Amino acid sequence: MTYSVLSADAKLGIAAESVDSDYVTPAFTIPFSAGTRYRSMITQLYDRTVRGTDADTQDIQQGPAWSTWTIATQAYADWAGWLFRAMIGPDQFTPGVVTTFAAGSAVGAGSVSLTASVPAGSVLMLGAGTTLEYAQTGTPAGAGPYTVPLTTAPRFAHSTGDPAQSQAVHVFRQNRTYATVWPSYSLTTDDGIDQLGWPGCILGKVRLQVQDGGYAKLASSWNGFPPVATSTFSEAQTSAQPAAGWAWGITTAGGTSTRGISLDLALNRPLQITPCCNGYQNPLGIFPGPMRATGSYKAIFDTAADLNLYRQAIQEPAVWTLAQPVLQGGSSIAVTLSLSGWTQGDVSLESEYVTANFGLTGIANATDSGVASVRLVNFWNQSF
């Protein structure tokens, strides 16, 4: 008897293309979740000419073809960088310090000896494999090797020469001119039946979704060229951990709130899929439009500060931050709308406690070079 293959065995990879719609093999393995799906979109041409018969359709042929993708994941800080680069603009990258242990350290050590200094107060990734862990530093001392105090005790022993790295910082701001070639990507799937490459993929929408229970999520929608046959690839899953929903906070109305219950923040660009009469079934190109930033969130209603922004049409910055505890990696995603307009504000008495629902939209401003910017802190030590 023949059985199908498990969806859990499927692999999904991505790579940036140096030439638009020229397929390249994966550079990153995407840790996707249920809800991920892809589809070949092929326009059907129906021949319904009248030919003296009692038949409605004389023939069916294929017209223009492209692909559509929905990728659902948890909020992994390394995967987030791929999405924000594809949606917003270039990565203003500040690398972390990559170094090694100058001497071994014991479990619970109050400090470690490193061959290079690291920023004071930084979060370090220590070790690799089964002994990989994270710790926060104090102020390093010495002239090399450097004694680095730890404010969180390590759970594993580490040997001389083991790796250590501080966090990198990635800032994404809109920077688009008519001379700018918009980034395109190749996706690769191996579902156990087909091994396919999907070139020319352009990101049309990314959503950061947070609930008070469970992990934060990243959902993205793409359009691309039809698939091509390819070979499988070696899976190299991320060592990063996803951020939990409870790690989210919002700053609005001049103050920081810890009252959030849920968030749905969307960055999107309309995509124009352009077929052309040029002898090819594929599109001439997939062209993204201007970026829009919209957000809706629900909060416990214990202050009218946010609601007054809506009532009085006050335009102020809004910052959503998702920050992990140090022991889970200490990575963070901060989405900033330096100027925002409040489009919804209402109070609900349906729950045991009074809640409020808010909606807002990013407005063009010089600080973000557009409508929104993102600051991402993680251990991906190269530009996206």
Side-chain angles (χ1 to χ4, degrees):
M1 182 180 293
T2 301
Y3 294 93
S4 182
V5 296
L6 290 173
S7 295
D9 289 335
K11 298 185 290 187
L12 175 60
I14 190 172
E17 296 175 345
S18 56
V19 178
D20 184 38
S21 74
D22 278 5
Y23 173 76
V24 290
T25 57
F28 180 79
T29 303
I30 303 173
F32 65 94
S33 306
T36 298
R37 57 188 181 274
Y38 54 87
R39 183 181 177 189
S40 293
M41 305 294 292
I42 304 174
T43 305
Q44 300 299 305
L45 306 180
Y46 296 91
D47 181 357
R48 292 196 168 102
T49 53
V50 177
R51 301 191 180 188
T53 67
D54 186 28
D56 172 73
T57 302
Q58 306 299 329
D59 196 8
I60 301 175
Q61 297 187 29
Q62 289 189 351
W66 64 93
S67 63
T68 180
W69 271 88
T70 299
I71 301 177
T73 71
Q74 294 169 348
Y76 291 90
D78 45 7
W79 169 233
W82 288 85
L83 295 174
F84 294 132
R85 171 63 187 97
M87 172 57 61
I88 299 174
D91 180 4
Q92 301 172 26
F93 168 57
T94 302
V97 176
V98 179
T99 183
T100 58
F101 279 76
S105 67
V107 174
S111 65
V112 293
S113 178
L114 301 179
T115 57
S117 185
V118 295
S122 59
V123 177
L124 299 182
M125 181 170 62
L126 305 174
T130 58
T131 62
L132 187 148
E133 61 179 330
Y134 305 95
Q136 188 156 25
T137 72
T139 302
Y146 297 87
T147 300
V148 181
L150 302 179
T151 59
T152 52
R155 298 175 295 127
F156 302 108
H158 297 281
S159 304
T160 302
D162 277 4
Q165 179 189 325
S166 67
Q167 291 176 318
V169 178
H170 308 266
V171 178
F172 304 92
R173 286 191 177 90
Q174 292 174 250
N175 181 17
R176 183 176 183 180
T177 65
Y178 286 108
T180 301
V181 177
W182 199 249
S184 63
Y185 298 83
S186 290
L187 295 170
T188 304
T189 53
D190 181 354
D191 56 16
I193 305 297
D194 276 335
Q195 293 77 43
L196 297 174
W198 306 76
C201 292
I202 306 291
L203 180 61
K205 187 172 186 178
V206 58
R207 296 170 65 187
L208 174 60
Q209 299 171 303
V210 179
Q211 298 285 339
D212 53 359
Y215 288 109
K217 298 178 181 179
L218 289 166
S220 57
S221 301
W222 308 69
N223 285 121
F225 280 54
V228 295
T230 188
S231 56
T232 191
F233 63 97
S234 298
E235 189 173 45
Q237 286 289 354
T238 175
S239 61
Q241 298 182 44
W246 57 260
W248 163 56
I250 182 173
T251 301
T252 57
T256 300
S257 169
T258 55
R259 302 172 287 111
I261 297 174
S262 64
L263 167 70
D264 190 343
L265 174 64
L267 305 176
N268 71 281
R269 294 181 182 273
L271 299 183
Q272 178 177 301
I273 302 169
T274 307
C276 193
C277 300
N278 57 2
Y280 295 96
Q281 191 177 10
N282 295 348
L284 173 66
I286 299 173
F287 305 111
M291 192 176 83
R292 175 180 295 176
T294 57
S296 61
Y297 74 97
K298 183 177 182 180
I300 295 173
F301 186 60
D302 58 5
T303 173
D306 287 354
L307 191 58
N308 286 337
L309 296 179
Y310 170 67
R311 288 169 172 166
Q312 301 169 21
I314 298 174
Q315 297 177 356
E316 283 196 356
V319 182
W320 289 277
T321 302
L322 194 63
Q324 288 181 309
V326 170
L327 295 181
Q328 294 178 1
S331 295
S332 63
I333 302 170
V335 182
T336 299
L337 279 58
S338 294
L339 188 63
S340 62
W342 293 74
T343 57
Q344 177 190 353
D346 58 73
V347 176
S348 172
L349 304 177
E350 297 177 0
S351 303
E352 292 296 327
Y353 291 91
V354 183
T355 60
N357 300 293
F358 302 99
L360 67 165
T361 297
I363 300 172
N365 64 89
T367 303
D368 296 327
S369 300
V371 294
S373 61
V374 172
R375 186 177 188 270
L376 174 65
V377 179
N378 61 16
F379 290 97
W380 185 265
N381 211 28
Q382 56 186 292
S383 180
F384 285 99

